[in-house]
């Protein structure tokens, strides 16, 4: 039986490799915590918030993220594809997610606001109705993704091949639409 933690505040903690394993956190807030050394096993976060936390290169295999908010966090090179897919819901604001992986995940309705998403892997992901608000999507990979109704209006540096990504009713701004034409070597001025 996992250790259950409800409505607690965790501040300025550096977690070791196994410190959070086999634990469940509900309605908890983590502020200025460092999870970069963690190798998460059988951990559940429900209605939790992470503020100014570091997850860079942490191993989040076998983690359940159910309505989890990341604010001003460093989440570089993290593989979310191995998370528990049951009731998977995450939101990011002012985060650095460079080189992270969301391969094959159902991210419907997820919000990314003011985030760096450089070289992030969204291949084969369900990005239906995802909000990419003012995000840097340089070299992010969208092949075989379903981005129907996704909002890219204020995001930039993306290169998306419409022949390899579903984009029905996706929203783009006229000033950044050249990212959809990149494959055709067309110059847009």
């Amino acid at each position: 039986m996992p250790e259950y933690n409800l409505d607690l505040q965790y501040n300025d903690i550096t977690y070791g490799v196994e410190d959070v394993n086999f634990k469940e956190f509900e309605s908890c807030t983590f502020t200025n915590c460092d999870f970069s050394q963690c190798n998460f096993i059988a951990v559940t976060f429900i209605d939790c918030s992470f503020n100014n936390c570091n997850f860079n290169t942490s191993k989040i295999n076998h983690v359940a993220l159910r309505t989890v908010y990341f604010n001003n966090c460093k989440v570089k090179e993290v593989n979310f594809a191995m998370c528990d897919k049951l009731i998977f819901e995450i939101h990011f604001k002012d985060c650095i997610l460079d080189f992270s992986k969301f391969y094959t995940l159902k991210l419907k309705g997820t919000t990314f606001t003011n985030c760096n998403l450089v070289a992030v892997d969204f291949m084969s992901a369900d990005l239906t109705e995802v909000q990419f608000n003012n995000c840097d999507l340089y070299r992010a990979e969208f092949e075989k993704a379903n981005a129907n109704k996704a909002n890219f209006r204020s995001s930039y540096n993306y290169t998306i091949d419409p022949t390899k990504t579903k984009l029905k009713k996706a929203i783009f701004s006229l000033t950044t639409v050249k990212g959809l034409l990149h494959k055709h070597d067309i110059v847009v001025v």
Side-chain angles (χ1 to χ4, degrees):
M1 189 89 181
E3 177 187 316
Y4 183 72
N5 301 278
L6 176 65
D7 201 23
L8 297 173
Q9 305 281 324
Y10 299 91
N11 299 307
D12 305 305
I13 300 171
T14 299
Y15 291 95
V17 174
E18 299 177 2
D19 289 350
V20 294
N21 291 354
F22 306 104
K23 294 182 182 176
E24 186 172 320
F25 299 91
E26 185 170 354
S27 299
C28 293
T29 302
F30 298 84
T31 304
N32 297 317
C33 294
D34 187 345
F35 297 91
S36 61
Q37 299 302 312
C38 289
N39 185 10
F40 294 95
I41 297 173
V43 184
T44 301
F45 295 102
I46 302 168
D47 296 324
C48 290
S49 292
F50 295 93
N51 303 307
N52 303 306
C53 292
N54 180 10
F55 287 86
N56 285 352
T57 69
S58 62
K59 308 291 185 272
I60 62 167
N61 302 334
H62 316 294
V63 173
L65 299 170
R66 300 180 179 143
T67 316
V68 175
Y69 292 86
F70 296 88
N71 302 298
N72 200 34
C73 292
K74 295 175 186 171
V75 196
K76 290 171 73 173
E77 298 182 47
V78 174
N79 186 357
F80 287 91
M82 298 301 294
C83 287
D84 181 348
K85 291 164 182 61
L86 181 67
I87 316 173
F88 181 81
E89 183 185 340
I90 52 178
H91 301 277
F92 298 94
K93 184 177 180 186
D94 301 316
C95 292
I96 300 172
L97 291 132
D98 300 351
F99 306 102
S100 289
K101 293 171 178 48
F102 294 93
Y103 179 78
T104 71
L105 282 175
K106 292 185 188 312
L107 296 168
K108 184 176 181 178
T110 296
T111 55
F112 295 93
T113 304
N114 300 322
C115 292
N116 284 356
L117 295 160
V118 173
V120 169
D121 183 353
F122 289 112
M123 289 177 59
S124 300
D126 182 353
L127 303 172
T128 305
E129 299 176 354
V130 168
Q131 298 290 315
F132 292 101
N133 301 313
N134 195 39
C135 294
D136 185 353
L137 293 163
Y138 180 71
R139 297 192 63 164
E141 182 57 60
F142 292 93
E143 189 169 328
K144 297 182 182 174
N146 177 354
N148 291 339
K149 298 182 183 177
N151 188 339
F152 295 92
R153 183 178 317 182
S154 59
S155 290
Y156 50 95
N157 291 335
Y158 57 81
T159 303
I160 303 172
D161 184 346
T163 64
K164 296 181 180 177
T165 305
K166 293 180 182 177
L167 294 170
K168 188 174 183 178
K169 297 192 179 183
I171 302 168
F172 298 91
S173 78
L174 189 55
T175 57
T176 59
V177 78
K178 65 185 177 190
L180 297 174
L181 304 170
H182 185 271
K183 143 185 179 160
H184 303 291
D185 203 20
I186 296 172
V187 179
V188 180
V189 277

